[in-house]
Amino acid sequence: MDDGFIAKPLGRRQIDQAYPLVCAIAPGLGVDQWRAFAAALLDSATGSGSGKGTVEGAGRPADRGIMTVQNAQGYMHGLFSYAAEPHLLHGRTLCVDNFVVLDLFDVAGVAEALLRAMEGLARQLGCAAIHTTLPDRTVQRDSRRDPIPDCFRTEGHRQETIRFCKDLAVVNDNAPAVADGRRGAE
């Protein structure tokens, strides 16, 4: 593990820099779609649009945001988006999505740095649990040893649920109207 990785909230000026990482879990995602998602999350996190990821003046992390792991030179090697939300069984829970590691040499080190950041956020936000949704392509079904899920297990996480997704835009033709007024995939 490389202790040189630093966990930092994504800043507004770093949105474009983070785009290649997100493409690793969402190939084909348009840059404008990523920019809109990240900007909306950063705006809701700060309430002022500053993109700093903390509640102003409080030093406490925002209830929603995007956390990155960077090396000393500022290159991003991983990120996740998060929101602190109520949960029926666990109470206040840190819900994590878009977990991505993009590193050729130290996947486990980056994943461990993200997991430590995740736990620190959860504790600072008063959460009783962390729920992480991993992209399907993150988990290799044919491998006995998979570095990212292994890091989760090593850090005390356990699989609790299986999440299914039905894409209504594809299955039920509920795609948003496009510029010419037609619906998508007709």
Side-chain angles (χ1 to χ4, degrees), residues 7-10 41-47 50-68 80-85 92-94 116-127:
K8 293 180 168 181
L10 182 73
L41 201 53
L42 295 180
D43 286 347
S44 71
T46 61
S50 68
K52 294 193 178 169
T54 58
V55 176
E56 292 183 47
R60 180 184 138 177
D63 283 352
R64 15 181 102 254
I66 300 172
M67 184 62 69
T68 68
F80 63 83
S81 58
Y82 69 91
E85 300 175 347
R92 189 167 169 85
T93 301
L94 187 72
R116 283 193 309 271
M118 196 185 296
E119 186 165 339
L121 271 172
R123 291 186 187 285
Q124 290 175 334
L125 293 171
C127 296

Side-chain angles (χ1 to χ4, degrees), residues 84-120:
E85 300 175 347
H87 186 270
L88 177 64
L89 298 176
H90 300 292
R92 189 167 169 85
T93 301
L94 187 72
C95 299
V96 174
D97 282 308
N98 305 308
F99 186 95
V100 60
V101 171
L102 193 57
D103 190 280
L104 295 175
F105 303 107
D106 195 5
V107 171
V110 175
E112 289 169 8
L114 285 169
L115 287 164
R116 283 193 309 271
M118 196 185 296
E119 186 165 339

Side-chain angles (χ1 to χ4, degrees), residues 163-183:
R163 181 176 176 185
F164 290 93
C165 175
K166 181 175 184 178
D167 189 343
L168 296 177
V170 174
V171 177
N172 293 337
D173 196 24
N174 283 343
V178 290
D180 68 358
R182 294 186 337 208
R183 294 177 90 60

